[in-house]
């Protein structure tokens, strides 16, 4: 199972690629959505099938809607029900998409908000048939199907053949990555990489765009 810190969701719908601010603890988390970037290029997503534990099952139950069929879990039975963990794999494409013209306002905002992260991992339950389709796809991508609406796209032989709306899933956990800023070859402050929660940025990059600018200006003196 992934070592990424996972937070239990609150009442706010969460999807991969959303930007927001996390507060609280691992067990009592609050996520405030702050921006929905435009992803003009599909971003590769990794898919893992995970067994439920007593902790993840409890988190799942808190998010189940009344009209949904509830998965049964018995801790003493070895054959556990499963859920999907999705992860943004292609950070380079995600960073490039964020810095396109369509996201100029988002980048301006991010430069002033070092505590804003991107939802880079989600834990979710979806129907058995859709879970089977997702796991059997040759590739899975995060895409924008409509304005500020994200979907999972399944691909085979280089072509997308099915899209799945996140509203069809019960998302009960999420992990965040944060932005590392540096100076590009045009002497501009830009995003260089994503780092997981509580991890340091690579050398010569900073999690605060303002601090990055100050450091670079100081070194030029």
């Amino acid at each position: 199972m992934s070592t990424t810190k996972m937070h239990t969701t609150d009442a706010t719908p969460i999807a991969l690629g959303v930007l927001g601010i996390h507060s609280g603890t691992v067990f009592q988390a609050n996520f405030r959505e702050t921006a929905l970037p435009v992803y003009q290029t599909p971003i590769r997503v990794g898919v893992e099938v995970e067994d439920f534990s007593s902790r993840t099952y409890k988190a799942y139950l808190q998010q189940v809607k009344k009209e949904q069929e509830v998965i049964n879990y018995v801790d003493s039975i070895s054959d556990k029900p499963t859920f999907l963990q999705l992860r943004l794999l292609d950070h380079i494409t995600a960073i490039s998409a964020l810095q396109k013209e369509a996201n100029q306002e988002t980048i301006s905002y991010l430069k002033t908000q070092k505590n804003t992260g991107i939802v880079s991992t989600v834990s979710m339950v979806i129907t058995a048939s859709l879970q089977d389709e997702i796991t059997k796809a040759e590739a899975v991508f995060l895409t924008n199907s409509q304005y500020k609406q994200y979907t999972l796209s399944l691909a085979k032989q280089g072509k997308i053949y099915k899209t799945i709306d996140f509203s069809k899933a019960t998302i009960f956990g999420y992990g965040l990555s944060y932005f590392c800023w540096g100076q590009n070859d045009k002497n501009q402050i830009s995003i260089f990489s994503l780092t997981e929660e509580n991890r340091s940025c690579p050398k010569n990059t900073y999690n605060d765009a303002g601090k990055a600018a100050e450091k670079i200006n100081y070194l030029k003196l």
Side-chain angles (χ1 to χ4, degrees):
M1 187 169 179
S2 169
T3 58
T4 300
K5 180 181 288 188
M6 294 296 292
H7 301 285
T8 302
T9 65
D10 55 15
T12 303
I14 291 178
L16 280 176
V18 170
L19 304 185
I21 297 173
H22 165 81
S23 60
T25 67
V26 174
F27 302 106
Q28 290 183 324
N30 179 58
F31 181 81
R32 179 166 61 87
E33 179 186 289
T34 57
L36 293 167
V38 176
Y39 296 113
Q40 296 175 328
T41 303
I43 300 170
R44 185 72 182 268
V45 172
V47 179
E48 296 178 7
V49 180
E50 303 283 357
D51 288 340
F52 269 105
S53 65
S54 57
R55 182 179 67 84
T56 54
Y57 186 67
K58 182 179 179 180
Y60 157 71
L61 286 180
Q62 292 175 346
Q63 296 301 317
V64 176
K65 298 179 178 64
K66 290 181 179 180
E67 68 274 13
Q68 292 176 318
E69 183 178 349
V70 179
I71 290 174
N72 292 318
Y73 170 88
V74 180
D75 192 46
S76 60
I77 297 177
S78 59
D79 188 16
K80 300 289 194 298
T82 60
F83 63 91
L84 294 181
Q85 189 170 100
L86 307 181
R87 176 187 301 275
L88 292 181
L89 289 182
D90 192 347
H91 287 186
I92 293 175
T93 298
I95 290 168
S96 176
L98 284 168
Q99 298 186 129
K100 298 282 188 188
E101 185 176 352
N103 291 311
Q104 279 186 344
E105 291 184 5
T106 298
I107 286 294
S108 296
Y109 166 78
L110 286 176
K111 286 181 177 178
T112 66
Q113 301 290 328
K114 69 175 183 179
N115 293 325
T116 295
I118 182 171
V119 176
S120 55
T121 310
V122 295
S123 297
M124 73 180 201
V125 169
I126 202 162
T127 64
S129 60
L130 286 178
Q131 176 168 315
D132 190 54
E133 285 194 68
I134 292 170
T135 56
K136 288 181 177 178
E138 289 181 3
V140 180
F141 296 90
L142 172 68
T143 50
N144 272 139
S145 61
Q146 299 177 32
Y147 179 66
K148 293 188 175 181
Q149 183 176 337
Y150 302 154
T151 53
L152 284 178
S153 291
L154 312 185
K156 184 183 296 182
Q157 297 180 347
K159 294 183 179 180
I160 290 173
Y161 64 90
K162 187 182 185 74
T163 58
I164 300 171
D165 196 303
F166 278 102
S167 65
K168 295 184 180 296
T170 299
I171 296 177
F172 61 89
Y174 66 94
L176 295 171
S177 292
Y178 290 86
F179 302 98
C180 295
W181 303 82
Q183 184 182 37
N184 62 23
D185 55 7
K186 296 180 181 179
N187 297 320
Q188 299 169 330
I189 301 301
S190 62
I191 302 170
F192 269 56
S193 64
L194 297 174
T195 185
E196 291 183 2
E197 195 168 352
N198 298 327
R199 298 282 183 89
S200 299
C201 285
K203 186 177 180 180
N204 297 325
T205 63
Y206 309 87
N207 67 350
D208 184 333
K211 184 177 181 180
E214 289 176 6
K215 289 281 187 179
I216 291 165
N217 289 335
Y218 173 79
L219 293 173
K220 287 179 179 178
L221 295 177

